[in-house]
Amino acid sequence: GPRMVVAKYNLGSNGLLAVDSGFNGGAPLQVPITTACVGAGQCNVYAGAVARPERVFGGDGMPIYVVGSVQRDGADWDYAVAKVNPNGTLDTSFGFGGVRYIPFDQAGSDRGDFGYRLDIDSGTPGLTLDTLFIGGNVHRSCKDGIGVAALTADGNDLAGFGSSGRIVHGGSSETGAIC
């Protein structure tokens, strides 16, 4: 099935990029998204962005977050965020088996939600908890808008941020007819 693919390269001594052998044994990590596509006739994925928290002395010891969009049942699109450990393995304690799916629109919409941008607030120096902000477009009740979701480092909705960790500008909050 469809997968998010994450690879890590370093700048080699010859000035060229070289595969990082300490990241997933030097092979690209393939994050399956089939958990979102159970019983689906069609499932697709689009990559959006990748980011790593910035902390003093964190460097290569920081997790890597990957954001994109997942299509389910040949119609509905949702934001998808994966957390990858520094060694190139999927952090299965994040979200649902390592991937968190974030819907904004009504189920079955033929348009959907596309997460494109990922920013991480690393908080106060010395703390290890990050806040993820995922931005993109949303489609609700036949109207386009902008959506922002906020998650904790473990993939839960950020309490006190919008409604269930989501804010929508434009579009509609109605759950009317599917377009």
Side-chain angles (χ1 to χ4, degrees), residues 6-8 19-29 52 64 84-89:
V6 183
K8 184 178 176 209
V19 173
D20 184 335
S21 61
F23 184 84
N24 197 36
L29 173 66
R52 175 176 254 171
I64 299 166
V84 179
N85 294 314
N87 66 358
T89 60

Side-chain angles (χ1 to χ4, degrees), residues 17-61:
L17 290 178
V19 173
D20 184 335
S21 61
F23 184 84
N24 197 36
L29 173 66
Q30 297 187 32
V31 180
I33 56 143
T34 53
T35 55
C37 304
V38 175
Q42 178 183 6
C43 192
N44 293 302
V45 65
Y46 280 109
V50 62
R52 175 176 254 171
E54 294 181 21
R55 285 196 275 281
V56 177
F57 308 115
D60 280 346

Side-chain angles (χ1 to χ4, degrees), residues 123-167:
T124 306
L127 296 179
T128 58
L129 297 178
D130 300 312
T131 302
L132 286 66
F133 295 95
I134 303 99
N137 71 299
V138 297
H139 190 82
R140 300 173 84 181
S141 299
C142 306
K143 298 177 183 174
D144 292 318
I146 297 171
V148 178
L151 303 177
T152 62
D154 58 5
N156 291 322
D157 295 332
L158 182 63
F161 185 86
S163 175
S164 300
R166 297 166 183 78
I167 293 175

